[in-house]
């Protein structure tokens, strides 16, 4: 049993207990050797390991760690947001469409710094290995579109010199109690061309997801009023572990044979053709629904803009357009179809 100011801090300062805990998890052994991202053959590259570890901390320790993070003031969170449009890059450098909160200026927060220190010890330290962790918060509509986490960073080494590092291993530690799949925020491994049930991971409280970078993944939009809170970050290795402009190793067919790469122009053409097909299908659905339900022109226009916003992963904009539809007496059912608002629900205005 633990007593005192905080069970997590008390446990974190027990060096023997922490060493035993780190040995028990042995993250490096679970992940295995790093895949060779620069190999031409998929067999030589390997697939790498993505793992979810449950019950990371002792129960009381995990609860206390969550309390420390929950106590962070709202003023320390900054919303990171981007559309994924390469012509309008996000200030945070994330290329994929995204929106979530990140806590800033945590250097003076003893509890959070202890959490980062403990997590950084999951991989044995070395003269050329570093780590960087942050606190994230996903609220309603927040999400992360498909990306691979590959990036370089400048880090001060033991001599105070700035050295170029690559993200080597990504890690997310989830701190929201009782999280359910219905609440969204599901981590989806995008390695396989066809999604499988085992490729989706519910962000369970006191669990970790870790994998070698680069690896494609996405986080589905959070639903409801509760926020998904996590510590996230990377173990960094000095030097260049991969080429940032190269395609991410995956099992997805790349055309022209197993090892052939698709040219940029061919990719762009296929993407434009897909977007045109989606746009035509979307307009057909909206026109059919409008004819059947006699939807007013203004509401039909709002519904069309909402669906376009959802397709480009602008969930915040889609939510605002949904509320505008509700103010006009219309809403969307579970299948996403526009239907009249029931009189018992009333209008928002």
């Amino acid at each position: 049993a633990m007593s005192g100011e905080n069970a997590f801090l008390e446990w974190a300062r027990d060096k023997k207990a922490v060493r035993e805990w780190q040995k028990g998890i042995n993250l490096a052994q679970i992940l295995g050797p790093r895949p060779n991202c620069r190999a031409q053959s998929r067999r030589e590259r390997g697939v790498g390991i993505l793992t979810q570890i449950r019950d990371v901390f002792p129960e009381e320790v995990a609860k206390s760690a969550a309390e420390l993070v929950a106590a962070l003031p709202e003023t320390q969170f900054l919303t990171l947001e981007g559309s994924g449009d390469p012509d309008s890059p996000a200030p945070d450098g994330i290329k994929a469409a995204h929106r979530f909160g990140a806590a800033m200026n945590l250097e003076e927060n003893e509890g959070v710094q202890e959490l980062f220190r403990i997590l950084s010890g999951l991989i044995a330290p070395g003269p050329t290995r570093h780590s960087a962790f942050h606190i994230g918060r996903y609220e309603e509509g927040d999400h992360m579109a498909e990306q691979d986490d590959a990036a370089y960073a400048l880090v001060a080494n033991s001599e105070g010199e700035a050295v170029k590092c690559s993200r080597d291993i990504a890690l997310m530690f989830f701190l929201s109690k009782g999280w359910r799949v219905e609440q969204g925020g599901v981590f989806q491994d995008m390695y396989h061309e066809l999604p499988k049930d085992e490729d989706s991971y519910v962000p369970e409280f006191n669990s970790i997801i870790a994998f070698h970078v680069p690896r494609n993944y996405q986080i589905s939009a959070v639903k409801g009023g509760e926020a998904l809170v996590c510590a996230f970050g990377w173990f960094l290795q000095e030097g260049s572990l991969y080429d940032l402009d190269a395609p991410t190793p995956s099992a997805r067919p790349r055309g022209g044979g197993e090892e052939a790469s698709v040219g940029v122009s061919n990719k762009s053409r296929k993407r434009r053709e897909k977007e045109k097909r989606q746009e035509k299908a979307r307009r057909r659905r909206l026109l059919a629904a409008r004819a059947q339900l006699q939807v007013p022109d203004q509401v039909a226009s709002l519904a069309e803009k909402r669906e376009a916003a959802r397709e480009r992963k602008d969930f915040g904009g889609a939510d605002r357009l949904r509320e505008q539809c509700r103010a006009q007496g219309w809403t969307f059912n579970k299948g996403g179809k526009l239907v009249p608002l029931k009189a018992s629900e009333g209008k928002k205005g």
Side-chain angles (χ1 to χ4, degrees):
M2 292 187 179
S3 60
E5 53 178 337
N6 182 279
F8 169 75
L9 290 175
E10 188 177 346
W11 174 83
R13 292 165 184 154
D14 185 339
K15 294 182 179 179
K16 182 178 179 181
V18 171
R19 279 197 302 269
E20 291 301 316
W21 169 78
Q22 291 170 343
K23 289 179 183 177
I25 291 183
N26 203 344
L27 184 59
Q29 184 177 30
I30 292 173
L31 292 176
R34 176 176 178 78
N36 181 4
C37 298
R38 288 193 169 104
Q40 294 300 309
S41 165
R42 189 153 61 237
R43 179 175 296 178
E44 292 178 18
R45 282 198 302 262
V47 298
I49 297 293
L50 184 148
T51 184
Q52 182 179 39
I53 303 173
R54 297 179 174 87
D55 301 321
V56 174
F57 289 150
E59 184 176 357
E60 289 303 315
V61 171
K63 289 180 180 178
S64 296
E67 290 170 2
L68 286 171
V69 173
L72 290 173
E74 184 69 27
T75 53
Q76 287 196 264
F77 282 89
L78 177 68
T79 298
L80 305 183
E81 188 170 12
S83 65
D85 183 352
D87 295 327
S88 302
D92 53 39
I94 300 175
K95 295 180 180 179
H98 65 284
R99 190 185 75 201
F100 65 96
M104 302 294 167
N105 303 318
L106 298 175
E107 293 79 8
E108 302 300 321
N109 190 303
E110 179 188 9
V112 172
Q113 291 302 316
E114 278 293 289
L115 175 60
F116 292 167
R117 183 183 67 81
I118 294 296
L119 292 176
S120 68
L122 284 171
I123 297 291
T128 61
R129 179 172 289 283
H130 311 274
S131 63
F133 286 97
H134 313 276
I135 297 296
R137 185 175 66 184
Y138 286 74
E139 298 181 306
E140 184 170 13
D142 287 357
H143 64 285
M144 175 69 73
E146 183 174 352
Q147 64 155 4
D148 64 11
D149 262 14
Y152 301 142
L154 288 177
V155 177
N157 62 16
S158 58
E159 298 177 359
E161 300 171 334
V163 292
K164 178 182 177 180
C165 295
S166 304
R167 291 176 180 174
D168 181 17
I169 295 170
L171 184 145
M172 298 184 75
F173 175 48
F174 298 104
L175 291 161
S176 294
K177 301 174 187 175
W179 197 265
R180 306 181 309 279
V181 65
E182 295 83 8
Q183 295 175 271
V186 175
F187 182 101
Q188 297 171 312
D189 183 14
M190 305 299 287
Y191 177 81
H192 297 107
E193 175 71 12
L194 298 177
K196 301 179 180 180
D197 290 341
E198 56 266 31
D199 290 336
S200 294
Y201 300 84
V202 177
E204 300 175 19
F205 174 68
N206 196 23
S207 74
I208 275 175
I209 288 177
F211 56 93
H212 279 115
V213 176
R215 190 183 185 102
N216 282 35
Y217 72 94
Q218 65 183 22
I219 297 174
S220 67
V222 167
K223 306 171 186 176
E226 188 177 351
L228 174 63
V229 179
C230 65
F232 71 97
W234 301 270
F235 294 94
L236 309 168
Q237 181 66 45
E238 292 184 12
S240 300
L241 297 176
Y242 36 72
D243 301 317
L244 290 181
D245 295 331
T248 300
S250 74
R252 303 181 184 193
R254 301 195 181 276
E258 180 178 340
E259 301 305 333
S261 62
V262 179
V264 174
S265 59
N266 190 30
K267 282 185 179 179
S268 300
R269 178 179 57 79
K270 289 183 177 181
R271 184 175 64 250
R272 286 196 297 269
E273 290 175 354
K274 181 180 179 181
E275 290 172 350
K276 286 181 180 179
R277 290 195 301 269
Q278 290 176 337
E279 175 65 15
K280 288 181 180 178
R282 181 168 62 84
R283 293 191 65 85
R284 284 197 301 269
R285 291 196 302 270
L286 290 171
L287 289 171
R290 182 179 176 186
Q292 183 178 0
L293 296 172
Q294 297 182 341
V295 180
D297 291 347
Q298 183 179 2
V299 176
S301 177
L302 290 171
E304 186 171 351
K305 291 177 181 177
R306 175 183 179 269
E307 188 155 349
R310 287 176 61 83
E311 287 182 0
R312 64 175 181 269
K313 311 267 186 213
D314 180 12
F315 297 104
D319 289 345
R320 289 189 289 272
L321 289 163
R322 179 193 63 196
E323 292 305 312
Q324 292 180 44
C325 288
R326 286 180 64 86
Q328 300 294 323
W330 295 80
T331 187
F332 297 86
N333 63 17
K334 292 183 178 179
K337 293 182 180 179
L338 191 65
V339 294
L341 191 64
K342 295 179 181 178
S344 60
E345 295 183 33
K347 295 184 181 180
K348 286 189 175 182

